[in-house]
Each structure stands twice: as structure tokens, then as C-alpha cells.
Amino acid sequence: MRVQENMKILIVSIILALIRVCWARLQVINVLYVNEIGNEVAESAVNSAFGYIEQKPDYNIKLEVVRVSANRTNSEETLKSLCKNYDEMLKMRPPHLVLDTTMTDMASETVKMFTRALALPTISASFGQKDDLEEWKNLNVQEEKYLIQVCPPADLIPEMIRKIVFRQNITSAAIMHDKTFATGHKHKSLLRNIATRHLISEINPEKIDEQLLRMRKFDLANFFILGNSKTVKLVLDSAWRNNFFNKKYAFYVLTQDLGDPLKCEVKNGTIFLARPEVNEQFKKRFDLLKKTYALEAEPEIAASFYFDLTIQALFTLRNLMIDGSWYKTNGSKHITCEEYDKNNQRTHTGLELFTVFKKQFHETIETPAFGTMEVNSNGLSYMNFEMSLNLVNFSRGVVSSVIPIGYWLSGFASKIRVVNKEQFDSFHSVLTYRVVVAEQTPFIFRDENHPKGYNGYCIDLMDKIGEILKFEYEVILATNNEFGHMDENGHWNGLIKDLMDKKADIGLGPISVMEERESVIDFTVPYYDLVGITIMMKIPYAQTSLFKFLTVLEDEVWYCIIAAYFFTSFLIWIFDKMSPLSFRNNPQKYEGDNDNRDFTLKECLWFCMTSLTPQGGGEAPKNASGRLVAATWWLFGFIIISSYTANLAAFLTVSRLETPVESLEDLSKQYKIEYAPMNGSSTATYFMRMKNIEKRFYEIWKDMSLNSSMSNIERAKLAVWDYPVSQKYSKMWIAMKQAGFPKSLEEAVARVKKSPSSTEGFAYLGDATDIKYLEMTTCDLKPVGEEFSRKPYALAVQEKSPLKDQMNTAILLLLNRRELEGLKEKWWNRNPKKVVCEQQDNQSDGISIQNIGGVFIVIYAGIVLALITLAFEYYWYKCRKPTNVVAVEEASQQESGSQNLKRKSFRFKRSEIM
């Protein structure tokens, strides 16, 4: 028995030895090769690897390959193809290895589900890290030994984006890739825990312009382009056509293509270029494979990766077969797809595929084509290579210079090595926000000389905020140049609509904070005082005249007074000359009187003139008829002077009376002055809502008064004959609609200025800041009454925008620095357009010189006339005519006893002087 047993053992040993010898000579490896439709580079490189092995007889490897094409979008079709080819292989030659070069999505996950369920040894080159491999997640210890995944270069290069974003502090990124890259699995993981808004999309060559403009609409400023040279040229050309090459945008190109110069239509611009560099250590090997073994697929780095991975996978299988470890496992026990039972999960135990595969890269007799493999766990295995980082300057469509700035060694934890820090730091997009504005002087107004095209309080405010938060901005005008209001259907327009549609990041201007606006956008903390609504009216101008005192009486009255003056003077002269009782005709009767007056025509004119003054006319005529005329003239003069004095005071006072409208209440009670706010403004919204509130209150009061469910006592407590609430705003709204709403502030100002006076015409209701500025820059407008419905001004941002908190911080900082007060001082008190207006007469002040100055002119004219008369008298009596005047003293010395001669001399003297 022992001899028989020993013989059996010997026979088995001989058979095994023979098998080993045979297998050492020629190892037949059955490969189920699964590739994704569209992954031509893998197909070509793997075929080159198969051909390379078959042309190396020293390796003693014979390949039996069954190919399966996987569909990324149709897992059911892929699974059927896998099962069909796998079941056919089981009939003749079960697969030793599944070589998987699918990239991502359903194709990759279907293959992984298939191989894990049937416990098939697999080496995969699919994209994704550990958490991305859904079907190979949570592998047990045995499965980790034969289910192996190595990341291709195209899955590793995008990791550089994370390094660049972190180093350059990029806040927004557009990641665009072609079919040579697959980033779908990186949507969540690529920029995880980095505060960067980003969008990942595959490039559509037919709609590239539309894609870029959509990125601009989303306000993405940094563009990462992952693709081959053809794709890069397509994107850069589109970017140049659409004016993307300015300081607001930055382009980062990451490609697998080697060092051929980029070609594009960019006439003036700079891009960041990252591309792989061939390792000098493996360059001869790489060139040999390209020329001799048709390793010509592009990109070369990807082709080299698939080639080396296939070669090492086959060597691993050969080594397992040679040392017999493959036959010591239960690898020969295969089941079909139909026999699979998910409740009885199968495991290929004892197969150390991972260990031998990892060891193979250290002991391989084959030099790598591009770089060595770093084999770790699934998701962390990759090929070592180096990416050169350069700044490429374009001029007139060609590369003008290339500036090396660093390099990056492949790896998930590898950092960027910078060799030119200054150049790298200078390349970045300037953080630029789109600011939408609605014009309102002095907050926002057009200024072609200003770099932003606009100027004003808010532009200075945004400049200061930009200095604090380190950003720049571009100004765009709001739709229809309106702040925005909501219509009856809940639709918005103007600046608010632009923010809602993401056309702008910040709304700038004197934007009133309103509840309905806060429901669709967000506001920062207020940057300006509470501002209300007020009334703007025309200033009541009273026409001034130096001779205004003459306009108290009509011209006809003055003519009559002058006529009466000359007529009365003439009558007194006639009566004195004809009356026998006058001094002229009867001097003996009045010899004892001290005051005697000879009423010549000149004396009569003087008498009548002086009778109208407080000084009086002097000695009256002696005759009764003359005295009667004088008394009548005195009575006439008293009445005329009294009437003139009273009317002069009233006339000068009435022109200085203030406008009767002093409040909104006064405005609502009168009917001569039309009034209205600007159409679509927040003021118009306020009055419309107040009207609606009054209407709602009336309906509530009516319901309470007519409520049948209330008791008689309760109803009696609420019962009044008339509606108890004033409907002021309802009446005002009707009056506004009849007056017509101005379409713009300019139209409103023009209507106010056309008002005939302050008591008739048009009054404008608007923001107090508008009216205050108009008062400051014009002299014929003024605010009336107190402000009402006061609201703060704030900056607006998109709803839930992170800019809100940043803006709040900056505004509060400016407030603490008192810089907002400085802006207010600049644009209000020191505004160059501020005018100095002539002060209007105040009712409490005296009569102005403009209205009474003519009296002084009369005095000056009288003095001038007196001087002329004096000169004439001097010339006439001294130079031209001998004097006949005899002094009284000389006459008394010549004839001291002659009383008649003395009287004649005295009378002659007076007549001559007069």
C-alpha cells in the first residue's frame, strides 16, 4: 500500500514538473479586454502592447484576447455583451484576467460590478479615486488582492486645478474639458472645502461661443481648459472673438499633449500652460516604441500609460503561472452569469495579484515608456510624470515668449514647485464685479471723463469698498434706467430685475429698502441717512424795481395829480393877481404884518409843492379866494398822501408773502396746484399703496358696521354716520392721475419751472435728496414741508449672495472711519455745481433796496439838478449881467428917514432874488 501511494505521489510530481516545464516555455494567457467606445488611445496602446508581447518570443507568452466594447450611457447593453463573451470563453478558455480601460460613468461601473460579482481578477485603468468607484467601494481583504485600479494621467492632471485655485486664491472657476478628460466624478471632490464657485462642463465644439458667454453670465472669471491642442485652440479663438482677453479673465490650459507650440488667433494675451515633459531617462525607450512598435496614439502620455499597464499586467499573470500560485487558488472554478446569485457572493481566495503586480514594477525587465508606476491602493495608484508650468504670451496670433514659472510632479498630495514666484503671482484674473446703476444726481450720473463712465457719491463709495475688499468693478446701466418696481402680476423691472436675472452682482445707487424688494434680492446695511418724500415747488419770485414806489398808483392817477398840481398853482397865482385884497394889490392893508408873500407864479408852484410835505407850504395867500383854493389843495394833498402811504406799505408787503402750501395736508386741500410723483418711482408706489390701504380700511369698517353676527350693542359702539377716516390719499391719487405722472425727473422739473407762480401750476413729489440737490443747483426751486415715509438707502445684491456680508463689513468700516461723512460733504456742501442764489425778501425783514432805491435816485437827481442851477445862477448874475441888487443895509444908510424908499428897496430886492 505504501509503495502504491509513493508511486502515485511520484507520478503526480512528475506530471506537475512536466506541466511547469511546459508552462515555463509557453504561457497562454486568456484576456477579456474591455474598452470604452470612444477611447481610441487606449485601444491603440493596448493593441501595441499585445503586438509587442507577441514579437518577444523570449517572454514565452501567448495571448488569447476577447474584446468587449462598453457603452458609457447604456449599462444594460454593456452587461449583456460582457456576459455573452464571458460565457463563450468559459466553454473553451476561461479568462485569466480582465483588462479594463473604460474611463468613467456607467461603462466603468458596469465592468466593476461584473468582475466583482464573478470574482474575476481585474486590472482597471478607469478614472476616479476610492470614493468614486461605487462598485468597488468597501472591498473585503480578499477582493483587494485581485481587483486593482490605477488612475490614468488624464485623471491625475485635473488635481493640479485644486493646487492652482488654492495658491492663487481663486474665487470663481469654469472648468471645461474635452473627451480626453473625464471630470464627471470630480464635481464634488475636485474643489471640496474650497470656497470657490465653479462649473464643470464638457466642451461642445459646435456651441463653444454660447458656452463661454454662459460662463460670463455666471460671472466666472478663471477658465481651466482641459483638452488636446485642437480643443485648446478652439476655446482660445472663441475667447478672443468674444473679448475675454482682458484683466477680468484668466485662462489656464492643462493638456496631455507634448511640447508642440500652441496655435490660436489671440492677438494679444497671456495664458497659463501646463503640459507633460518627457523624462530624459526614458526618452530613448519612448522614441523606440513610437517608431518600432507603432505606439503612435495621442496623447503620448496616455498611450504610454496604457502600454506600460498592459505589459506589466501580462508579466504579472505570467509570473503567477510560472511559480504555480495561480493553480493553488480556486481560480479554475468559474460560474456563468446565469449561475450568479447575489445572495451567495463569490470570492477568489488566495490570489496575490496585487502583491505580484506591485512587485513587478520594481523588478521589471522592461523600461517604462514615460514614467514609473506608483502602485498603492485603488484610487491612489498612478504613473509618475512631470508637468512643466509656463506663461505663454501671444502677439499677433503667434507665441511671442514662454516664461517658465514652475513644475508639478504627479500625485494627489503633490504641490506646485514655483521657480518664478513674481511672474506666477502676477498672473491672475482681477476680481471684477458687475455693478448695475440707475442714474440719480449726485449719487450716480454720467461722466465721460471718469474711468468708469459714471461719477457721483455712490461711485466714490464703491471705489472705497473696492479698496477694502480688493476688487474692481464695471458699471452697466439698469434696464430703462429705472430702479425697479413690481407690477400687478408680481413681475419686476429695472435694476431689481437685472439682479434677479443674474445680469449684475451689485445694485448701486440711492436704492430705497422696501419689503417687497427684500423678498427677491438682499440689501446691505444702510450707507446713507433715512430719506423721505417731500414736495418741490417753484419759489415765489416778486419782481423788483428801483421805482416801485411809483407803481403804487396807476399812471392815470399820477397824470391827474400832476395836472391838479399845475392847475391849482395857476389858480392861486391868478386869484392873487386879480383879488383886490391880495398883498400884491393892497400892500397898505398888510403893512403891520411881519410875514407877507407876493404870490408870483414861481411862488405858487413852490407853495403847492411844499404843501404836500410835512414841512408845510409856508405863508398862505391874504385874499379869501386864494385861501379857499389853498385849503382845498391841502385837503386834496392829505387824502392823496394818506392813500399813497397806505397803499405803498400794502403793495410792498404783498409781494413778499410766502406760498400758502406748507405741507402735504395743504397740498391735498387745494385745487389750483397740480401735483404728481415720477411714474414708476418708489414715491408713486407709496401713494398708490396708501390709497389701497385706505380702501381696505373702508372695506373693513363697512364689514364691521354691517356685520349681522354682531349684537346690537356691539354694532352701536361702532356705528357712526360718516366714514371716520380721512381718504386723503385716495383723493390725492385721483388728482395725481389727472395731473399726469412725469416720465423722468427732467420732465418734472420742467413742469414745475413752467408754473406761473407758487400758488398755481405744478408741484413735484419725490425723494428728498433729489429735491435737495435741485434746490442746491437751481435758484427757482425749493422743498416744501417736512419729509415723510422715510427709508434708508442701501446697496443691493443678488439673493443669498455672499457679497452681502463682505459689503456690510466694508460699509461699517467706512462708517467708523467717518469717510461716509466726508463723501456727503464733498457731494453736497462742496459740490462744484452748487450755486449761490439771491436771497428772497422775507416778510419779517424791511423793504429791500431793490424796491425803494428809486427814492435815493430822486435825491441824487435833485442834488445834481441843484448844482446845475447854482452854476447857471452864478454864471448869469456874476459874469453876464451887472447886478441891480441893493443891500438893505446900504439903503438904510442912504435914506434913513424915508420909510417908503426902504419898503420899495426891500420889495425890489425880493423880486430880484426870486
Side-chain angles (χ1 to χ4, degrees):
M1 292 295 294
R2 290 180 179 177
V3 174
Q4 292 179 352
E5 290 179 359
N6 291 335
M7 287 296 295
K8 290 180 180 180
I9 294 172
L10 180 61
I11 294 172
V12 170
S13 299
I14 293 173
I15 294 174
L16 289 175
L18 292 174
I19 293 174
R20 289 175 183 174
V21 171
C22 293
W23 278 103
R25 293 176 180 175
L26 183 63
Q27 305 295 335
V28 179
I29 301 178
N30 301 325
V31 179
L32 179 60
Y33 173 46
V34 187
N35 187 36
E36 181 178 319
I37 297 174
N39 191 5
E40 291 86 359
V41 62
E43 183 80 22
S44 175
V46 170
N47 288 337
S48 295
F50 289 159
Y52 180 83
I53 291 295
E54 291 176 350
Q55 294 179 39
K56 294 287 186 177
D58 296 341
Y59 292 156
N60 294 323
I61 296 177
K62 182 180 180 181
L63 296 176
E64 297 291 342
V65 181
V66 175
R67 303 171 186 273
V68 176
S69 295
N71 193 323
R72 185 183 293 188
T73 59
N74 193 331
S75 61
E76 183 177 355
E77 178 183 338
T78 300
L79 185 59
K80 287 182 178 180
S81 179
L82 284 170
C83 288
K84 177 182 177 182
N85 286 276
Y86 170 70
D87 290 345
E88 290 179 357
M89 290 183 71
L90 290 181
K91 296 177 182 178
M92 300 179 60
R93 48 185 186 278
H96 297 109
L97 176 70
V98 177
L99 181 61
D100 172 27
T101 58
T102 56
M103 297 174 68
T104 185
D105 293 337
M106 292 183 182
S108 174
E109 293 300 327
T110 302
V111 174
K112 289 176 175 54
M113 177 187 66
F114 169 78
T115 55
R116 183 180 185 183
L118 299 180
L120 299 178
T122 304
I123 294 179
S124 173
S126 61
F127 289 54
Q129 282 63 65
K130 183 176 182 180
D131 292 337
D132 302 321
L133 308 175
E134 292 293 336
E135 295 298 332
W136 280 9
K137 190 183 294 184
N138 302 320
L139 298 178
N140 58 43
V141 176
Q142 292 299 326
E143 289 173 332
E144 289 179 347
K145 293 181 179 181
Y146 61 86
L147 300 178
I148 304 170
Q149 182 253 354
V150 182
C151 297
D155 191 38
L156 204 59
I157 291 175
E159 292 297 318
M160 196 190 310
I161 297 176
R162 183 180 180 87
K163 314 302 180 184
I164 296 173
V165 166
F166 184 79
R167 187 190 184 281
Q168 300 293 88
N169 193 26
I170 292 174
T171 58
S172 66
I175 302 172
M176 307 173 68
H177 65 90
D178 62 9
K179 294 185 180 300
T180 61
F181 289 86
T183 59
H185 60 286
K186 293 181 178 291
H187 280 162
K188 296 181 180 180
S189 61
L190 183 59
L191 297 179
R192 182 179 295 169
N193 300 326
I194 296 180
T196 300
R197 293 185 301 108
H198 64 282
L199 179 65
I200 301 177
S201 66
E202 185 174 339
I203 295 171
N204 185 344
E206 298 178 357
K207 297 182 178 180
I208 184 60
D209 288 347
E210 181 180 333
Q211 276 187 289
L212 285 177
L213 293 176
R214 183 164 61 96
M215 301 295 183
R216 174 185 285 174
K217 181 179 179 181
F218 292 151
D219 195 30
L220 302 175
N222 298 276
F223 291 81
F224 290 87
I225 307 172
L226 304 171
N228 55 34
S229 299
K230 182 179 179 181
T231 301
V232 171
K233 181 181 186 304
L234 180 72
V235 177
L236 294 181
D237 289 348
S238 176
W240 175 255
R241 289 194 304 271
N242 292 284
N243 194 28
F244 277 83
F245 277 91
N246 54 56
K247 63 181 180 179
K248 181 178 179 180
Y249 304 102
F251 284 85
Y252 298 83
V253 174
L254 285 73
T255 181
Q256 297 182 82
D257 291 350
L258 298 183
D260 294 334
L262 288 177
K263 297 179 181 180
C264 63
E265 297 177 0
V266 177
K267 301 297 187 295
N268 183 21
T270 302
I271 67 166
F272 173 97
L273 175 63
R275 65 188 343 163
E277 291 291 332
V278 177
N279 193 325
E280 292 296 329
Q281 182 181 354
F282 311 128
K283 189 174 187 307
K284 291 183 179 180
R285 168 73 170 176
F286 179 73
D287 294 337
L288 176 65
L289 293 174
K290 287 182 64 176
K291 294 177 180 180
T292 307
Y293 297 98
L295 187 61
E296 298 175 347
E298 294 182 350
E300 292 89 341
I301 186 175
S304 300
F305 166 78
Y306 288 120
F307 182 90
D308 286 346
L309 184 71
T310 303
I311 294 295
Q312 301 304 331
L314 296 177
F315 283 169
T316 300
L317 261 294
R318 187 199 65 170
N319 293 339
L320 287 172
M321 291 178 179
I322 291 175
D323 63 16
S325 59
W326 176 264
Y327 301 101
K328 295 179 181 177
T329 68
N330 57 352
S332 59
K333 299 177 181 178
H334 296 86
I335 61 173
T336 64
C337 290
E338 293 182 357
E339 295 172 345
Y340 168 73
D341 184 1
K342 63 180 180 179
N343 296 323
N344 184 18
Q345 188 73 28
R346 185 173 183 271
T347 302
H348 198 136
T349 58
L351 181 60
E352 297 292 339
L353 182 64
F354 177 82
T355 303
V356 178
F357 182 71
K358 183 177 182 178
K359 184 178 179 181
Q360 178 64 35
F361 285 100
H362 296 285
E363 299 178 356
T364 180
I365 59 175
E366 291 288 339
T367 302
F370 206 94
T372 60
M373 294 285 183
E374 190 75 25
V375 180
N376 300 304
S377 60
N378 290 344
L380 296 178
S381 301
Y382 54 87
M383 183 176 74
N384 291 310
F385 59 93
E386 179 180 314
M387 299 281 287
S388 64
L389 313 180
N390 304 281
L391 292 182
V392 181
N393 296 311
F394 287 90
S395 178
R396 299 180 181 179
V398 296
V399 176
S400 60
S401 63
V402 177
I403 304 173
I405 58 173
Y407 62 94
W408 178 73
L409 298 177
S410 62
F412 294 99
S414 179
K415 296 181 180 180
I416 293 176
R417 306 302 199 270
V418 179
V419 297
N420 193 335
K421 184 177 183 299
E422 182 179 355
Q423 289 288 341
F424 198 0
D425 292 342
S426 65
F427 180 80
H428 58 81
S429 64
V430 178
L431 183 59
T432 306
Y433 293 119
R434 294 166 298 168
V435 177
V436 61
V437 301
E439 294 181 62
Q440 181 172 325
T441 309
F443 292 95
I444 297 284
F445 59 90
R446 289 187 181 274
D447 184 357
E448 299 299 333
N449 297 324
H450 195 278
K452 302 298 182 183
Y454 292 84
N455 205 348
Y457 178 100
C458 289
I459 295 296
D460 287 350
L461 173 65
M462 188 56 60
D463 288 340
K464 291 182 178 296
I465 294 176
E467 291 176 2
I468 295 173
L469 299 181
K470 306 300 181 184
F471 70 81
E472 293 188 6
Y473 64 96
E474 58 183 15
V475 180
I476 57 177
L477 189 63
T479 304
N480 299 325
N481 195 15
E482 295 180 355
F483 288 101
H485 67 278
M486 183 175 61
D487 61 17
E488 296 294 335
N489 298 321
H491 299 149
W492 287 89
N493 64 359
L495 181 148
I496 306 299
K497 176 67 172 176
D498 293 338
L499 287 174
M500 294 173 61
D501 292 344
K502 313 295 184 183
K503 294 181 180 179
D505 305 293
I506 303 170
L508 181 63
I511 308 171
S512 300
V513 179
M514 302 170 66
E515 184 177 356
E516 65 272 19
R517 289 176 175 176
E518 287 186 298
S519 64
V520 293
I521 61 173
D522 288 340
F523 285 99
T524 64
V525 294
Y527 68 84
Y528 201 82
D529 300 334
L530 293 175
V531 177
I533 302 170
T534 190
I535 306 167
M536 181 179 70
M537 298 184 66
K538 185 177 181 179
I539 292 179
Y541 274 103
Q543 294 183 353
T544 60
S545 174
L546 292 175
F547 296 95
K548 195 167 187 177
F549 60 90
L550 296 178
T551 62
V552 176
L553 302 177
E554 294 183 356
D555 294 342
E556 293 81 359
V557 177
W558 283 115
Y559 297 151
C560 291
I561 292 173
I562 294 172
Y565 164 72
F566 284 107
F567 181 68
T568 303
S569 300
F570 179 74
L571 285 178
I572 294 175
W573 176 66
I574 291 295
F575 289 169
D576 186 80
K577 186 175 183 180
M578 296 180 62
S579 174
L581 299 177
S582 64
F583 177 75
R584 178 198 298 267
N585 297 324
N586 192 2
Q588 297 82 5
K589 183 178 179 180
Y590 306 104
E591 289 182 358
D593 294 345
N594 294 326
D595 297 323
N596 293 315
R597 191 172 187 178
D598 189 1
F599 276 87
T600 63
L601 183 59
K602 183 172 62 175
E603 284 292 325
C604 291
L605 291 172
W606 181 256
F607 172 79
C608 289
M609 181 176 291
T610 56
S611 296
L612 297 177
T613 64
Q615 184 66 28
E619 181 64 24
K622 297 297 185 180
N623 56 317
S625 58
R627 289 189 174 189
L628 183 60
V629 174
T632 304
W633 175 251
W634 289 341
L635 180 61
F636 171 81
F638 173 77
I639 295 173
I640 289 297
I641 295 301
S642 299
S643 301
Y644 177 80
T645 304
N647 280 278
L648 179 62
F651 187 78
L652 294 177
T653 302
V654 71
S655 62
R656 295 181 285 118
L657 292 175
E658 293 183 353
T659 175
V661 175
E662 298 181 350
S663 65
L664 186 66
E665 192 73 23
D666 294 340
L667 191 65
S668 65
K669 291 179 179 179
Q670 57 78 45
Y671 298 95
K672 292 185 178 180
I673 303 175
E674 294 182 335
Y675 52 88
M678 189 166 60
N679 186 34
S681 63
S682 59
T683 304
T685 303
Y686 169 78
F687 280 100
M688 182 179 64
R689 290 185 177 174
M690 291 300 293
K691 181 262 299 183
N692 293 334
I693 290 172
E694 287 182 345
K695 181 180 179 181
R696 186 68 180 271
F697 280 178
Y698 174 75
E699 294 174 353
I700 294 173
W701 173 79
K702 187 170 62 175
D703 291 342
M704 289 191 304
S705 300
L706 302 177
N707 191 352
S708 59
S709 63
M710 298 175 63
S711 65
N712 293 333
I713 297 176
E714 292 175 337
R715 190 180 297 110
K717 292 179 180 179
L718 300 175
V720 290
W721 184 258
D722 293 325
Y723 178 54
V725 179
S726 171
Q727 291 183 309
K728 177 179 70 173
Y729 291 97
S730 299
K731 296 176 182 177
M732 292 186 70
W733 185 254
I734 295 174
M736 291 174 184
K737 294 177 69 175
Q738 292 175 348
F741 297 96
K743 296 181 180 179
S744 64
L745 184 60
E746 291 75 15
E747 180 184 342
V749 171
R751 290 179 64 178
V752 173
K753 288 184 176 182
K754 288 180 181 179
S755 300
S757 67
S758 61
T759 57
E760 58 181 338
F762 182 78
Y764 171 67
L765 294 133
D767 285 348
T769 51
D770 283 345
I771 296 174
K772 179 181 177 183
Y773 183 77
L774 290 170
E775 179 192 20
M776 183 181 71
T777 55
T778 56
C779 293
D780 52 354
L781 301 173
K782 70 170 185 177
V784 175
E786 298 291 334
E787 297 181 20
F788 56 94
S789 182
R790 302 180 71 190
K791 297 180 288 292
Y793 286 162
L795 302 181
V797 296
Q798 298 173 8
E799 191 174 16
K800 297 182 180 179
S801 171
L803 281 174
K804 177 181 177 180
D805 294 335
Q806 299 176 32
M807 293 288 177
N808 288 343
T809 302
I811 292 173
L812 292 175
L813 183 60
L814 292 174
L815 187 63
N816 291 334
R817 294 177 182 174
R818 303 179 67 87
E819 294 189 35
L820 296 183
E821 295 182 9
L823 292 181
K824 193 179 298 183
E825 177 73 15
K826 172 184 176 181
W827 288 104
W828 293 102
N829 297 334
R830 294 187 283 108
N831 195 311
K833 294 185 178 181
K834 184 178 182 180
V835 296
V836 179
C837 301
E838 181 181 349
Q839 293 295 327
Q840 294 295 310
D841 290 342
N842 195 338
Q843 186 176 2
S844 61
D845 297 336
I847 300 173
S848 65
I849 191 65
Q850 289 84 357
N851 290 324
I852 204 68
V855 176
F856 298 95
I857 295 177
V858 172
I859 294 175
Y860 299 145
I863 293 173
V864 172
L865 185 60
L867 292 172
I868 295 173
T869 303
L870 176 61
F872 176 76
E873 290 174 346
Y874 182 84
Y875 174 77
W876 181 261
Y877 288 101
K878 293 294 185 181
C879 299
R880 290 286 183 160
K881 185 178 180 180
T883 181
N884 294 323
V885 179
V886 180
V888 176
E889 292 80 1
E890 294 177 355
S892 61
Q893 291 177 4
Q894 293 174 4
E895 197 173 331
S896 58
S898 180
Q899 187 68 29
N900 291 332
L901 182 61
K902 179 181 179 181
R903 188 178 294 115
K904 289 180 179 179
S905 174
F906 176 76
R907 189 165 53 247
F908 176 75
K909 174 189 173 187
R910 287 191 62 188
S911 64
E912 289 296 325
I913 293 174
M914 296 302 293

